[in-house]
Structure formats: C-alpha cells, structure tokens
Amino acid sequence: MDTGQPLLCVAGTSPKIKVLDVKTGNLLKTLIGHGLDVTDLDVSPASPDLLASASYDHSVRVWSLEPAHEQRPCLLICAGEGHKEAVLTVAFHHSGRYLISGGMDCIINLWALPQLPDGNTGSDKTTVLHYPHFSTTSVHSNFVDCIEFYNDLIISKSAQEGKIVLWRIEGFSSSNPHPTPETAPSTHEFRETRSAFGGGYQRLLQFEAPQTDLFYLRFGFFNQPEKHPILAMGNEASKIFFWDLERLEEWSGNDHDARWATKKTKRPPGLLRESSTSTTASSARTGSNDGVVSQPVAWSDIPRDAKANKKYNISNPFNTIAPHLSVTVPKVMFAARQVAWSVGGEWMVVVGDNGMLGVFRRWE
C-alpha cells in the first residue's frame, strides 16, 4: 500500500477474505462478496493495493485494499460466461492489466481488465466482465489447480497429468493496444478454444512432475529481472523438483532458439509446436543438514550425448523435461501443497500435509 504498511490477506473455507496487519496481527478489514470458499489470492505486481481472488462460486473478483475504497472494496467481478464450475487458481500479468484463471471445469480464461479503479468504483454498481478474451478447455484434461504468467507466456498444471505445461496464446502480446470488452468472443457457439487475438494456443514445453496426481498441488515460479527464472514443484512423496529455465534455454545450443521463451519474438524456424486453432542461477538446497540433495547441475560437464539431448530437449513440445535438481525432505512423508518464493528469490517456502513447512535457501 502507499502507506508502506505490510498486510497479509487470508482466505479459505469461508467466503470472506481477512486482511491483517503483519506487524500487529490486528484484523484491519474483511472483504465480503464471494458466495463460497475462496481458493486462491494474488496481488497485482503493478499495483500492490489490488487483490484478485478465485472462488468455488465460479467467479474471480478484484479488490482494492486502499482505505479510500473501504466501504465498497470490490472493483470488478469476472463471472458470467467464464467458468462453469469452481475457480481454483488466478494470477495477474506483470502489467496488472490481465488476469488468467483456471478451474474444475478444465477451463483456462484470460481476462483483459479495464484500468482500475474505474468510473464505477465507490458506487452501487460494480464493473462486471461477462466474457474472457481467451478461453480454452484443450490445454488440460482435469482440474486446473495452478497457473502463472511467464512474461506473456503461461505456465499451468492440472491434477492427474504428472506434468507442468508452458504454452502461449497465439496473437497475444501485452505490448499491443489493450483490448476492449466488446472484442471478447461470445459463447453462442461451442468451441474448445475461443480467442480475441486471432488464433488458438501453442504448447511449447512440458516439465516432468512424477507423483503429482493429487488435486491441489501447486508449483511456485520465481521470475525477476537479472535473476534466473526458477520453477519449483513438490510431489506426494516429500520430493521437490527444480527447473532453471535460463539454463534450459542455454542447453538448446542455438542462441536464437534459446531466447524464444523470454522475448516477444516470432517462433524461430524449426521449432515444433503443438497448436490449437480457434474457429473465429541456480538451484536450491534444504536448510536441514539431513536433506538428501542431488548435486547441482554443471552445464559444461553434461555430455551432449543422445540421452542428455532427450532429457533436456526443448525442440519437441511433447517431450517432458526432467528436473535439473531434486530434493527429498527426510524422515517424513507428505504431499507438498504449495510453493512460494521471497521477493528477491533468496528463500523458498514449501507447505504440505501433516503441518509440514520447509524453508529452502537459494545458492548462486
């Protein structure tokens, strides 16, 4: 917030979202609007006073934490023709102008947000988005329970697939003029993929995540300037997997191809991608000395033989990329439910079943 006051937002089996003062522990406010359990929260990277929430009531809401909007804090509702079942995950784009959501209906929606706060803020009328600008049921075959932006790309996973998928919406670029609500495709015809951006989607990579069939296991993604982007995922057997996306790109051996995932460029020639069309630095180690930790990957030491090429091959979207590092938490068996990084990426926290909480320190 503008005051610099650190806040903690908490939600769960209640439709209410509680906002706490981190320093004092006092309850500052309660956000009321959802009709059922709240499943996910995300703060806008562009405006830390904006909070997005997902709920079993099939909707996504955007809230203002500013004291000036305390009487009517709900700024926007994404509902209508978006999700048909519970929404399980929501994430802001780094610009703060887009939201992506996934749910039990296997649907992934991209919502183009108006500039917030808008003309309805503070009044009896809350802005409602009835249609997403992109919607698909084709990326995943089960509950979509975790999703994040990677610049203009998307990382997502679902239950019972054993993998994490990196993909892109064809024609979507946050540098283009912002779309208006009138350009969002309607649902008059059934289509697996509907897009306002002139295409479908492209599957780019798949990351191998064994023993992650349980519903509501979530990865954590760290992506900050001048740092290696790190994807981390825990499984049902006390194991944490890590992928360094920058090293993965370097492994491709082609400087042009290696940057396709992080720059807004056309797809380089020769890269295979599964398409769907629309009819309209580092690793980590445990803080415990008892941890079973694999050795860090030294890229120069990996022989470029057929086995290694297959393991880290990024040219085939159907190939599953093995983790660069795996860490097994010792002496206890638990399912890792959520992974989160500190702002600077120095620390990573894993929470899981049976009251487990693990703290990991990143090394350079």
Side-chain angles (χ1 to χ4, degrees):
M1 294 182 62
D2 292 340
T3 61
Q5 182 182 21
L7 303 179
L8 176 66
C9 299
V10 181
T13 55
S14 166
K16 300 177 181 179
I17 302 169
K18 296 181 179 180
V19 183
L20 308 174
D21 185 312
V22 172
K23 293 182 177 179
T24 66
N26 294 333
L27 176 65
L28 297 181
K29 65 182 73 177
T30 301
L31 306 177
I32 299 175
H34 281 299
L36 293 170
D37 302 10
V38 176
T39 55
D40 200 11
L41 300 173
D42 194 41
V43 175
S44 170
S47 304
D49 56 328
L50 294 181
L51 174 74
S53 60
S55 172
Y56 267 68
D57 66 7
H58 307 181
S59 76
V60 171
R61 289 178 178 246
V62 179
W63 311 82
S64 172
L65 302 178
E66 284 292 340
H69 305 140
E70 188 168 359
Q71 295 301 314
R72 300 187 182 279
C74 185
L75 304 181
L76 178 101
I77 303 174
C78 303
E81 300 299 324
H83 288 280
K84 306 301 181 184
E85 296 184 45
V87 188
L88 301 177
T89 179
V90 65
F92 272 104
H93 186 268
H94 64 80
S95 67
R97 296 301 306 276
Y98 297 93
L99 278 175
I100 191 127
S101 60
M104 281 187 169
D105 47 15
C106 307
I107 294 176
I108 294 174
N109 289 323
L110 177 92
W111 306 87
L113 307 182
Q115 189 69 50
L116 296 173
D118 63 5
N120 291 330
T121 300
S123 70
D124 294 336
K125 183 180 179 181
T126 302
T127 301
V128 178
L129 295 182
H130 294 283
Y131 298 103
H133 279 73
F134 175 88
S135 182
T136 186
T137 58
S138 299
V139 177
H140 295 289
S141 60
N142 210 304
F143 302 161
V144 181
D145 55 9
C146 192
I147 199 163
E148 290 285 348
F149 278 103
Y150 176 22
N151 300 330
D152 283 354
L153 305 182
I154 297 161
I155 305 174
S156 60
K157 71 164 288 287
S158 79
Q160 299 184 354
E161 287 188 344
K163 62 188 177 184
I164 303 168
V165 181
L166 174 68
W167 55 284
R168 65 182 287 266
I169 297 172
E170 291 180 326
F172 170 69
S173 172
S174 59
S175 62
N176 289 338
H178 197 72
T180 62
E182 293 75 23
T183 62
S186 68
T187 57
H188 296 312
E189 297 180 26
F190 174 78
R191 287 169 282 171
E192 290 186 348
T193 301
R194 303 188 308 274
S195 180
F197 304 103
Y201 75 92
Q202 288 185 323
R203 186 185 301 261
L204 302 173
L205 291 180
Q206 298 183 143
F207 302 94
E208 182 182 16
Q211 293 182 279
T212 57
D213 288 343
L214 287 179
F215 160 57
Y216 220 78
L217 298 181
R218 300 186 171 197
F219 60 79
F221 183 53
F222 173 75
N223 182 30
Q224 292 292 335
E226 309 302 324
K227 297 280 189 177
H228 283 218
I230 304 293
L231 177 65
M233 175 75 193
N235 74 359
E236 305 160 18
S238 309
K239 184 171 285 189
I240 316 298
F241 307 114
F242 297 88
W243 296 266
D244 184 328
L245 272 60
E246 184 166 322
R247 287 183 175 182
L248 190 62
E249 294 166 20
E250 291 170 357
W251 173 255
S252 72
N254 183 309
D255 192 57
H256 180 67
D257 290 358
R259 299 302 167 188
W260 61 265
T262 55
K263 291 188 177 180
K264 302 178 181 67
T265 58
K266 294 182 179 180
R267 177 169 61 91
L271 285 179
L272 301 175
R273 297 289 177 258
E274 178 206 24
S275 296
S276 169
T277 58
S278 170
T279 57
T280 60
S282 302
S283 306
R285 63 184 178 191
T286 59
S288 167
N289 293 329
D290 299 327
V292 181
V293 185
S294 63
Q295 292 300 314
V297 174
W299 238 238
S300 59
D301 295 337
I302 299 178
R304 290 182 177 270
D305 55 20
K307 184 177 180 180
N309 282 331
K310 181 179 180 181
K311 188 176 182 180
Y312 298 110
N313 176 23
I314 67 172
S315 67
N316 185 349
F318 297 100
N319 182 49
T320 52
I321 307 299
H324 295 143
L325 179 71
S326 298
V327 176
T328 300
V329 180
K331 300 180 182 179
V332 64
M333 182 65 69
F334 72 100
R337 295 289 180 176
Q338 180 81 50
V339 177
W341 293 87
S342 63
V343 174
E346 299 88 353
W347 302 95
M348 188 189 79
V349 176
V350 179
V351 294
D353 293 345
N354 305 317
M356 284 298 301
L357 187 150
V359 179
F360 294 71
R361 184 177 62 187
R362 174 171 172 157
W363 60 271
E364 299 295 341

